[in-house]
Amino acid sequence: NHNQFQTNLFCHQNYCCFDFFVLFPYIETMHLRIFRVFIIIITFLYHSTAFSKTIESQNFNQRYLSNYFSALVSYENGDNELAIKYFDSTRSILRDYPSYLNQYISSLVLENKVKEAINQIKLFGSKNKVNNFQTNLLLIVDALKNKKFNKAKTYLLDMERVLIPSSYEQVIYQILKSYNQLFLDKKVHEIKNYGKFSKILIAFQHCYLDDPETSNYFADLLDLDEGDYSRYLFFYLSNLISKKEFNATKMVSNKIEPITSTLLILQAKNWIDKKNFDNFQEIFSCNSENDILAEIFFLISNLYSSQDDYTMSNFYLSLSNYLNPKFKFNLSLASENLYLMNKESELKKLIKIFNDKDDVYYWYRIKKEFEILKQTTGKKKSLAFLNSEFKNLKFKSPKIYFDLGNI
């Protein structure tokens, strides 16, 4: 019963997050990597025996087998870049084994190659009928991104046929279905009761429709108990600015706590203080279907991160970034995930996206680089780096001085 789904929010890594298992009480996540690889190997060895009997009709050899096993191991170890390399060398096997397509597609998405993943699904689907949640999800994303809402409706019907009752996939399906109807009908489409989670989804529907009461919906989120909904202050301010209510915007901004507020809210305050109001609309607009959907996928990514499923969190964050790459600040969640996964090389590469024009997020990048240096080179060299970077900072806020005092 979806009405039983309730949310329990708490602050996690400066983001608004839900207790995933309270929202979806019937979900249990198990990581049986060794067992899964073992089963795949046994299955593959069985089929390789069958291949030996029909060698003339099957283009298969030991090199493909070795590369494919390497792809599976790399995928299970979270080395998506290497997994893609091996998957690419065994595409002929992928055509014969549709059940193994998911790992390849997941690796592409996790490497932020969403468009390539969609193209591979379309290419594969032209010769094979593949109908599972992940492939349908990406085809729906592709259709929605290109404003082909009727086509998305068809893919949603395919997705519905493979759903597991009372699962997180069913909830995601319901969300996508409601928003697709919103885009088609241009009117609010009710969402099943997922507690406070539904309030967020409804707020963005009203925002998309340019409802005069939109600010009130976001304001209601800020007043909710049992959780940190401060992220939605950004969208509240953005909506005020879109209505050119600059005085009200300034009044709200003046009440923002300059030290304990989240990165996004501090960045918003910084823009308002500098009267850079256009920056809000440059990264997010409620008039854009893609921007709205990107925020929904960011919320889903947050749900996974709050339950320490960082791989799935980054999967949905990649979809979010694909739909709205302008909102690069969202990638700070991916950097937190990578940091907790001890993927330093990927983390260092990712945070380069934040530059000195980003003020608050540039300081966030410096702190992350300091933490990495501290772990790899020791405290002395890392402090020398931090001191040098601080001297060159153009933007110095109370938050920065507070952070320095606590290092």
Side-chain angles (χ1 to χ4, degrees), residues 233 237 246-258 261 265 268-270 272-274:
L233 178 56
L237 291 167
F246 300 118
N247 289 334
T249 300
K250 187 67 175 178
M251 289 177 62
V252 174
S253 176
N254 288 338
K255 296 179 181 179
I256 292 175
E257 215 292 319
S261 296
I265 301 308
K269 178 176 174 57
N270 180 44
I272 294 168
D273 290 345
K274 293 181 177 181

Side-chain angles (χ1 to χ4, degrees), residues 315-370:
F315 179 90
Y316 282 97
L317 192 57
S318 182
L319 297 183
S320 175
N321 188 57
Y322 174 66
L323 289 165
N324 183 14
K326 306 183 300 298
F327 210 140
K328 66 179 182 180
F329 300 144
N330 284 344
L331 294 177
S332 60
L333 175 58
S335 72
E336 292 294 333
N337 291 341
L338 292 173
Y339 182 77
L340 293 168
M341 296 168 75
N342 297 315
K343 293 191 173 184
E344 293 178 358
S345 60
E346 293 180 43
L347 172 58
K348 287 191 290 186
K349 181 179 178 181
L350 175 65
I351 57 179
K352 295 295 183 185
I353 196 172
F354 305 128
N355 55 54
D356 58 2
K357 294 181 181 179
D358 297 322
D359 294 336
V360 173
Y361 281 88
Y362 185 58
W363 171 244
Y364 168 81
R365 166 186 160 178
I366 291 172
K367 286 199 303 177
K368 274 285 173 277
E369 290 173 336
F370 164 75

